[in-house]
Amino acid sequence: MPTPKIFYVALLSIALPGLCFASPAFPIIYRGPMGNGQGELTITAPNEASLSVVGHMCGGGVDHARLVQQGEQLVLTYPNGDKQTECKVVFMTKGKRIVTSTEEKCMEWHGGACGFDLASLTRQ
């Protein structure tokens, strides 16, 4: 007896979910005030992002950082130069907005006058 076509469709939907369901178009960009400047979070691929901030007397950022969604949080991590610690930024989302953020151990990437905290970013 031949295998029903529905079996193959079900098998493909399990094995290749990216082909069966639409994925978001990248990049996904958020912009707005952040840590004493203007910030931009660019989600470049699933689980990868770039983050930057530019202020009057400061600026900085990271590229190819790891990004994980945990409920209403986006958690960005990036290894510091010492390779023993990592910069961590937690963004709180609400709909298509990032309503705030906190950071730990990121000063080497933006200096003392700017920050990746206190973000109020809107999806573009």
Side-chain angles (χ1 to χ4, degrees):
M1 178 169 153
T3 306
K5 289 181 184 179
I6 192 72
F7 173 78
Y8 291 116
V9 172
L11 183 61
L12 281 174
S13 69
I14 293 168
L16 304 169
L19 296 177
C20 298
F21 301 100
S23 59
F26 293 101
I28 299 170
I29 300 170
Y30 292 85
R31 289 189 183 118
M34 179 192 302
N36 206 25
Q38 288 295 308
E40 181 174 294
L41 172 67
T42 303
I43 303 172
T44 53
N47 301 318
E48 185 176 286
S50 296
L51 177 63
S52 64
V53 63
V54 176
H56 178 65
M57 307 244 339
C58 61
V62 296
D63 290 320
H64 307 290
R66 184 170 183 259
L67 186 71
V68 177
Q69 184 170 3
Q70 298 174 345
E72 292 186 346
Q73 294 182 341
L74 295 174
V75 180
L76 180 141
T77 54
Y78 192 78
N80 285 322
D82 64 10
K83 304 293 184 203
Q84 296 175 4
T85 61
E86 64 183 8
C87 165
K88 179 179 179 181
V89 184
V90 178
F91 297 98
M92 292 299 301
T93 64
K94 188 167 192 166
K96 293 190 176 199
R97 293 189 39 81
I98 292 174
V99 294
T100 192
S101 62
T102 60
E103 70 167 88
E104 298 173 17
K105 301 178 184 167
C106 298
M107 190 178 297
E108 93 177 67
W109 303 112
H110 56 63
C114 279
F116 297 144
D117 59 344
L118 305 174
S120 178
L121 311 178
T122 303
R123 187 169 172 171
Q124 304 299 296

